[in-house]
């Protein structure tokens, strides 16, 4: 069985590392995919399946919020994380 994938979008690796540590602590099987908020992010979010998207609280990352939630991505849920 494949693990769930979590897309983490942020300026630096801090949020991705924090999520990874938390998942390891609870022995979760989720896979983290970490990306900087750049143009390729939308293509990857549209083209791949993720259980959830975590969006860092930087200005560049927040610019993606409307697009990620308004386009017919429908799933997965998008959460903004103040890091």
């Amino acid at each position: 069985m494949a693990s769930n994938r979590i897309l983490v979008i942020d300026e630096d690796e801090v949020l991705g590392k924090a999520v990874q540590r938390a998942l390891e602590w609870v022995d979760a099987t989720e896979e983290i995919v970490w990306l900087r908020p750049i143009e390729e992010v939308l293509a990857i979010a549209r083209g791949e399946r993720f259980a959830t998207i975590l969006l860092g609280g930087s200005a560049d990352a927040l610019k993606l919020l409307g697009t990620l939630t308004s386009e017919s991505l429908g799933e997965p849920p998008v959460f903004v994380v103040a890091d």
Side-chain angles (χ1 to χ4, degrees):
M1 180 167 89
S3 65
N4 288 322
R5 298 175 75 215
I6 299 172
L7 177 60
V8 177
I9 303 169
D10 202 6
E11 288 294 324
D12 53 35
E13 296 182 35
V14 174
L15 179 57
K17 287 180 180 179
V19 172
Q20 186 66 48
R21 281 193 308 269
L23 292 173
E24 289 171 359
W25 189 75
V26 297
D27 293 326
T29 60
E30 283 77 8
E31 173 191 354
I32 300 295
V33 177
W34 175 77
L35 297 170
R36 293 181 186 273
I38 53 176
E39 294 175 13
E40 293 96 26
V41 167
L42 293 177
I44 290 170
R46 289 181 190 122
E48 297 184 32
R49 295 192 61 172
F50 295 99
T52 192
I53 297 175
L54 300 178
L55 189 60
S58 71
D60 286 342
L62 290 175
K63 290 178 187 175
L64 298 172
L65 181 59
T67 305
L68 288 171
T69 57
S70 69
E71 294 192 9
S72 59
L73 297 173
E75 294 177 18
V78 178
F79 295 95
V80 176
V81 179
D83 53 340

